[in-house]
Amino acid sequence: AFDGFAGDYFGQSISLSENTLAIGSFRHDYNQLEDHGGIYIYNKIEQTGFWSFRQKVIGEDSAMFHIFGYPVYLVGNML
């Protein structure tokens, strides 16, 4: 991930639905909360076939060792 570090486990959990890709990073630290986790959402650009970063999703209940992002599951555009 663009803001990741070794040990974040980026890509350990992924889900693909149509042109949306969700990639989990369940050991990502957030606001000094160790292993809080996050999910990175990408959209496929049909004209080029490239993937474009759309947003980073963080769990609402910010807590250490939350490991948000494992597992990751998409249904259509719903995460």
Side-chain angles (χ1 to χ4, degrees):
F2 62 90
D3 62 348
F5 294 95
D8 281 353
Y9 289 81
F10 179 80
Q12 191 72 24
S13 179
I14 63 171
S15 184
L16 176 65
S17 181
E18 300 173 19
N19 290 330
T20 303
L21 175 65
I23 303 176
S25 183
F26 66 94
R27 295 256 185 221
H28 178 73
D29 297 344
Y30 176 72
N31 282 346
Q32 299 179 341
L33 298 173
E34 187 176 347
D35 295 343
H36 180 272
I39 300 173
Y40 297 79
I41 308 294
Y42 295 83
N43 288 100
K44 187 174 184 179
I45 302 169
E46 290 191 34
Q47 297 87 340
T48 63
F50 292 110
W51 291 90
S52 176
F53 174 74
R54 186 171 84 195
Q55 75 182 87
K56 178 179 174 181
V57 180
I58 304 294
E60 290 182 14
D61 58 341
S62 296
M64 289 181 98
F65 309 112
H66 184 81
I67 62 170
F68 180 74
Y70 190 82
V72 174
Y73 188 68
L74 282 172
V75 176
N77 288 330
M78 302 259 320
L79 179 62

